[in-house]
Amino acid sequence: MNRRGEMTTQQIILLIILIASFIIILFFLFRLNLNSESEDEVCHNSVVMRGSSVIPSGSVPLKCSREYICITQDGSCEELTNPVVKKVKTSDEVYEILANEMSDCWWMFGEGKVDYIGKDFFLKDNYCSICSQVLFDNSLSEIEDFSEGQISKDVLYNYLSANKHSEEKTYAEYLFRTNNLDELKQELSKNQSADVSFGTIDIGKQYYVVMGITSEVTGRGWKIAVGGAVAVAGLFIPGIGWTISGAIIGAVIVGAGEYGALQNPEIAAIPVEGDGVKNTFMAPTIVEVNSEKFKVLNCYDVNTLS
């Protein structure tokens, strides 16, 4: 009888250990957010399949959905319905979230190595993909670095150049193929008399993490609005190459063909030449939802589901 009791006790202890182990595994699975990762993989796989398909690209659907995220200091996120809530305590935690959102977006859509649009004989220009829509909750103003109600993209981009995406590359090298942001900014702001920046993010507002691809046929790139003129980013000049690497927004459109005065010009997008494909890509950027700055990116179509 005692032996039977001892065996029963051992079985109970083993059962408790198994249940506890199962709970711990479930906890880590939820912490890893594997459901979100699987959606990213579904999107990435559909992009690769479309890029490698021998039939017209439009016949292979992209299975990519926009993720809704709230970055908050106190957990309050009233402006979005059921978002993925990411609580932070420091500015670096905010930069890390944004760096990962940008790099995830770049990976999902092929890292500039996949032509998932194909030949566009109707001369349509730029196709954009909104990977995530981010609410910067008002409580972020409680963080000392954001006390003035803004997040500097220049500081964010410095974070991208100073922190590793992998053992081989920083976030900046992965996204923009360079870690020299000063040189990149000089190239992007070439021939501009005013000082340019990567802009700011206003706390309390919603922003897209968006990237894009140009049609292989047109290769026109993203429009630039500078003062009273319009140029084209990524303009190809024979014998010189891609002479403009980014889009600079100096004003908002106030009427057909009319632009306001150049004030606080921003580098709105960084086009990246395709790797093994003829397309030009817009590296992931952060731009306010449905703003004039988003419109200036000249997205013909958006390839992600809302």
Side-chain angles (χ1 to χ4, degrees), residues 24 47 61 163 170 203 219 228 280:
I24 292 172
V47 168
N163 290 271
T170 65
I203 290 173
T280 298

Side-chain angles (χ1 to χ4, degrees), residues 17-33:
I17 292 173
L18 289 174
I19 293 173
S21 300
F22 181 69
I23 293 173
I24 292 172
I25 291 172
L26 282 180
F27 172 77
F28 280 107
L29 287 177
F30 283 116
R31 285 292 300 272
L32 287 172
N33 199 11

Side-chain angles (χ1 to χ4, degrees), residues 49-120:
M49 287 181 63
R50 179 184 275 200
S52 60
S53 176
V54 295
I55 61 178
S57 297
S59 302
V60 181
L62 291 181
K63 299 178 181 179
C64 300
S65 299
R66 184 188 316 178
E67 185 175 34
Y68 292 85
I69 296 169
C70 173
I71 304 177
T72 176
Q73 193 263 354
D74 64 4
S76 60
C77 296
E78 294 85 0
E79 295 184 38
L80 283 178
T81 302
N82 196 29
V84 176
V85 177
K86 300 194 176 185
K87 291 187 68 174
V88 296
K89 295 181 180 179
T90 67
S91 56
D92 273 359
E93 289 179 321
V94 175
Y95 301 141
E96 181 181 11
I97 291 170
L98 296 178
N100 288 328
E101 287 299 317
M102 294 170 74
S103 59
D104 288 349
C105 186
W106 189 234
W107 176 79
M108 283 193 298
F109 286 88
E111 302 173 317
K113 302 174 183 178
V114 181
D115 175 8
Y116 53 90
I117 294 298
K119 291 180 172 59
D120 187 342

